[in-house]
Amino acid sequence: MSPIFYILAAVTLGGGLAAVLLRQLVHAALAATVAFAGLALLYLQLDAQFVGFAQVLVYIGAVAILIVFAILLTRGSEVPKDGVFSRTWAVGLVVAAAVFAVLGWAVLASLRALPLAEAAPAATVHEIGVALVGRYVLPLEIVGLLLTAATVGAVIVALHEKERPKQ
Amino acid sequence: MVSTSFFTALDRIFFLLRDWLVGFLPVALRPAAGVLLGVIAIVAVFPGFFALTTVFERKGLGRMQNRLGPNRVGPFGFFQPVADGIKALTKEDVVPYRSDRIVHFLAPLVLVVTVFLGFAVLPMGRNMVLADMDAGLLFFFAMGAATELSIFMAGWSSHNKYSLLGAMRGIAQMISYEVVLLLSAVSVVMIGGSLSLSKIVEAQNSYSGVFPHWYIFTPWGFAGFVVFAIAATAETNRSPFDLPEGESELVAGYHTEYSGFKFALFFLGEYLAMFSISGLGTTLFLGGWSAPLSFFDFVPSWIWFFGKVMLSIFVFIWMRGTLPRLRQDQLMNFAWKFVLPFTLLNLFVTALWRFLGEGWLRWAVCSAILVAAWALMGRVGMRRKHFGPRSYRYAE
Amino acid sequence: MTTPLAGYLLVAALLFAIGLAGALVRRNAILVLIGIELMLNAANLNLIAFWRYGPHPERLTGMMFAIFSIAVAAAEAAVGLGLVIAIHRHTNTTDLDKMNRMKG
């Protein structure tokens, strides 16, 4: 394994862990951004340039900003006094550990069956574009529709509620 | 001919310089050293450019406002940036007591680093691009998106209402205009057929007669360039879109609580963002490093690139000296109700241009659609609008 | 010095577990959403890793999956955070332990 992979994995996992553990919500959101950036670099390590940049554009440029806006709009930047962890935190931790144990066991048990690295495939933007409007044109249209619906839906959900007359 | 080879050498002067410098090193280190030299060149040239621009801006604005501008330090005041730099370095670095120290420290660093990374994909001359990526345009926009987060970090961590309000305004404005910026660049990608910026320049680097095939000289390209220029001004928080740092209401916006060197970093980051977005506009619409008339081809390509960037920076300064600042609601309405629909229409027009084939028909059809849309939305639509006194939803 | 596929898969599994723990353990609705985003990202890493190492990378199947997944995740974040804001406006809390009534 190359040292770059170790560094990137450490950055990603550290960011994720900090996002889950930090008490201050804004810090957690920024830590999650570090994890997103680390993942983008991991994609670059995997020769997926387009997906890596799209990850930065969508996650850091849009999702992280949305999250911090939501935190400020819900006054989440003040740390609550009665703790940040749920009452049933032990159960959650056990479930997460169990899931990791199963996934890790599955990966380690199938080490022999896993394919080895071959020469890097050339996934140029041109090929991706041709695939998107060729073989994957229906999913592309559906995603377009989904994004439009989500935008309209999010605006309607978050719109100011009209004062309702008292019954 | 002697002169031809001289100009070719001048065009390649940076490569020759790099090869000469790298020649002192062992062969194994040469590729890495070459890349390192490219990075050093960018990191050295653009801050120097920044220093020059500050003094030009102050002098130019001074002339526009009928005064002299800085004229004390050095000949004609040209050493003013040196004095300013020394001042910024020796000032006390005040960090507010209640601020979030780590985030407060990281914000200017994130800004400057992401802005510098954007320069990596700009072709600044023939073959002069640090990283000729296949998805270069996407990389540029990804880095631009990352700067928004640094503005939030600065505004939030200062623990100051002016900073937070400035940051919120800045992010809202940058997100709104980023959509427009991306969509206006998409029309260039549709015609150029590549996300690689050097390929986009190549596609524009041909001439019919003496006139170049720049995208600005097409109906969709002209409309796209105007929209791009508006969005770029908003994206770099320049006047008339400088609400995030509107002095009359917000002190200095998100960098109110920054002083000394950190403030200088913010200042640097903003100017660098202006250079890089000018470079992108030049690359996408103004033919990048290609000469404006075919017989000027002998002039080194990088002179054209930097000349065009300088020109657009002059326009930035000119706008700052001319236009008054917008109001937040006007800014948002303008982005979502006028510029965005117009850009979407421009995408459609670009597709028409692509499929109508050569000839005068596509010129007539595309121009007619764009002019009609502009007249309808801008003239007729705005006439019916009444700009009455503003109602304050929360203050009353 | 190439990294084997198992390395990426283990990182993805660990990130998924971290995201799951975050979604289950934290009380704040926004942090639960962050946890879900981390889980989606872990899945994306798996998709890209399998695309890179699996047979027929030229068909771009895994990469397309990841691209669509990123788009869907963005939509999910927008709607999810819109819901959180709407609920906060209604009940004045984002604490999931306190959101225990079906009646508004």
Side-chain angles (χ1 to χ4, degrees):
Chain A
M1 291 198 196
S2 64
I4 297 176
F5 170 76
Y6 278 117
I7 297 169
L8 294 181
V11 166
T12 309
L13 294 175
L17 211 58
V20 170
L21 291 177
L22 283 174
R23 298 172 63 81
Q24 166 64 264
L25 266 185
V26 175
H27 286 170
L30 292 177
T33 313
V34 173
F36 296 148
L39 273 165
L41 292 171
L42 277 176
Y43 296 162
L44 293 186
Q45 268 302 98
L46 284 163
D47 305 309
Q49 204 183 58
F50 184 83
V51 183
F53 296 157
Q55 162 95 3
V56 175
L57 192 64
V58 172
Y59 274 99
I60 299 179
V63 173
I65 299 284
L66 263 176
I67 289 173
V68 294
F69 255 83
I71 291 171
L72 292 180
L73 284 174
T74 57
R75 296 177 191 283
S77 55
E78 298 139 21
V79 181
K81 287 182 191 70
D82 47 349
V84 292
F85 295 109
S86 167
R87 277 191 298 261
T88 52
W89 61 272
V91 182
L93 218 57
V94 168
V95 170
V99 167
F100 176 65
V102 171
L103 287 176
W105 170 78
V107 171
L108 292 178
S110 54
L111 269 184
R112 278 165 198 283
L114 290 178
L116 288 170
E118 291 163 33
T124 60
V125 177
H126 184 254
E127 280 171 33
I128 295 172
V130 168
L132 270 179
V133 293
R135 211 171 139 210
Y136 297 93
V137 71
L138 192 64
L140 184 72
E141 298 288 332
I142 293 172
V143 161
L145 199 66
L146 174 85
L147 283 174
T148 316
T151 316
V152 175
V155 168
I156 288 176
V157 165
L159 255 186
H160 222 65
E161 278 179 63
K162 290 261 160 59
E163 293 291 321
R164 260 174 293 171
K166 293 259 161 84
Q167 282 104 338
Chain B
M1 253 168 79
V2 183
S3 64
T4 319
S5 65
F6 170 72
F7 282 118
T8 319
L10 205 59
D11 191 27
R12 294 178 36 81
I13 185 155
F14 296 109
F15 291 101
L16 298 176
L17 205 63
R18 184 190 71 188
D19 292 344
W20 177 70
L21 280 173
V22 167
F24 292 109
L25 290 169
V27 180
L29 289 176
R30 280 181 193 179
V35 174
L36 191 69
L37 274 180
V39 173
I40 290 173
I42 285 180
V43 172
V45 164
F46 283 94
F49 210 41
F50 155 69
L52 266 180
T53 309
T54 51
V55 71
F56 274 123
E57 170 155 26
R58 291 172 70 179
K59 285 191 94 68
L61 274 181
R63 290 291 167 186
M64 284 173 204
Q65 293 160 356
N66 217 354
R67 57 190 170 84
L68 286 173
N71 62 352
R72 293 287 127 180
V73 193
F76 302 104
F78 268 104
F79 292 141
Q80 186 69 37
V82 181
D84 286 343
I86 293 170
K87 187 187 96 175
L89 280 171
T90 52
K91 255 183 154 177
E92 187 190 355
D93 180 23
V94 183
V95 181
Y97 176 65
R98 292 286 302 279
S99 72
D100 197 303
R101 303 215 163 218
I102 299 170
V103 182
H104 191 265
F105 174 76
L106 283 176
L109 288 183
V110 173
L111 178 74
V112 170
V113 168
T114 48
V115 170
F116 263 125
L117 280 174
F119 284 106
V121 291
L122 287 181
M124 300 178 200
R126 195 172 276 120
N127 302 324
M128 264 170 65
V129 50
L130 194 60
D132 190 8
M133 290 186 207
D134 195 29
L137 190 63
L138 196 67
F139 176 80
F140 189 93
F141 283 127
M143 290 304 121
T147 57
E148 285 161 26
L149 207 68
S150 76
I151 286 177
F152 168 78
M153 284 162 74
W156 178 77
S157 66
S158 297
H159 214 281
N160 175 325
K161 60 188 173 227
Y162 297 124
S163 300
L164 191 60
L165 280 175
M168 289 288 122
R169 275 189 183 184
I171 294 170
Q173 167 180 334
M174 284 170 91
I175 286 184
S176 309
Y177 282 92
E178 198 183 355
V179 178
V180 176
L181 199 72
L182 269 161
L183 285 176
S184 60
V186 164
S187 54
V188 173
V189 175
M190 277 162 77
I191 299 291
S194 176
L195 281 177
S196 158
L197 291 173
S198 50
K199 285 209 182 95
I200 288 173
V201 177
E202 280 303 336
Q204 298 178 73
N205 189 20
S206 60
Y207 301 88
S208 44
V210 292
F211 297 109
H213 286 178
W214 296 355
Y215 290 140
I216 192 176
F217 298 131
T218 55
W220 63 268
F222 184 71
F225 180 70
V226 172
V227 169
F228 184 91
I230 293 171
T233 318
E235 194 78 354
T236 47
N237 297 337
R238 292 283 299 186
S239 179
F241 300 107
D242 60 346
L243 287 137
E245 45 201 278
E247 302 88 350
S248 50
E249 350 170 356
L250 289 179
V251 190
Y254 49 84
H255 45 57
T256 302
E257 295 290 0
Y258 281 89
S259 54
F261 192 60
K262 285 186 203 151
F263 177 77
L265 279 182
F266 265 107
F267 207 50
L268 174 72
E270 276 179 13
Y271 273 84
L272 287 179
M274 188 167 87
F275 298 149
S276 75
I277 209 105
S278 303
L280 186 71
T282 303
T283 307
L284 290 180
F285 295 99
L286 302 180
W289 44 261
S290 65
L293 292 169
S294 62
F295 48 81
F296 283 133
D297 213 14
F298 64 89
V299 179
S301 52
W302 44 271
I303 287 187
W304 289 121
F305 178 82
F306 283 102
K308 288 171 192 174
V309 170
M310 290 285 229
L311 195 70
S312 48
I313 285 165
F314 172 71
V315 175
F316 272 123
I317 296 170
W318 188 10
M319 279 200 290
R320 185 174 167 191
T322 310
L323 296 172
R325 186 179 296 147
L326 268 76
R327 229 167 46 200
Q328 187 73 18
D329 56 330
Q330 293 170 336
L331 176 99
M332 286 306 193
N333 278 340
F334 185 59
W336 292 102
K337 294 182 184 164
F338 180 77
V339 183
L340 187 62
F342 193 72
T343 319
L344 288 173
L345 184 81
N346 196 29
L347 276 187
F348 174 72
V349 170
T350 313
L352 264 186
W353 176 269
R354 172 85 174 68
F355 287 112
L356 277 179
E358 297 278 334
W360 60 270
L361 182 69
R362 65 176 182 178
W363 279 86
V365 172
C366 294
S367 315
I369 294 176
L370 286 171
V371 171
W374 173 71
L376 267 178
M377 290 193 328
R379 300 281 128 192
V380 182
M382 283 293 160
R383 192 170 298 160
R384 229 179 281 149
K385 248 195 154 99
H386 299 292
F387 291 105
R390 187 182 181 188
S391 66
Y392 295 91
R393 191 188 291 169
Y394 299 108
E396 277 169 4
Chain C
M1 288 280 274
T2 50
T3 315
L5 178 56
Y8 289 102
L9 295 186
L10 281 176
V11 169
L14 200 52
L15 191 65
F16 187 87
I18 290 172
L20 184 64
L24 291 177
V25 161
R26 293 294 291 246
R27 293 165 80 134
N28 193 299
I30 294 171
L31 233 140
V32 172
L33 268 171
I34 292 179
I36 291 170
E37 290 294 338
L38 288 178
M39 283 153 75
L40 279 168
N41 267 300
N44 279 351
L45 180 58
N46 260 6
L47 290 171
I48 296 283
F50 274 119
W51 162 76
R52 173 71 179 77
Y53 287 90
H56 304 298
E58 72 281 356
R59 280 191 202 157
L60 300 174
T61 316
M63 203 178 222
M64 286 299 152
F65 245 95
I67 290 172
F68 288 124
S69 155
I70 288 175
V72 172
E76 177 256 324
V79 176
L81 292 168
L83 280 172
V84 170
I85 291 170
I87 291 171
H88 177 264
R89 191 176 293 134
H90 205 71
T91 62
N92 219 1
T93 180
T94 50
D95 191 335
L96 290 172
D97 282 2
K98 287 181 190 148
M99 289 179 204
N100 47 13
R101 290 188 307 158
M102 298 275 277
K103 205 175 162 196

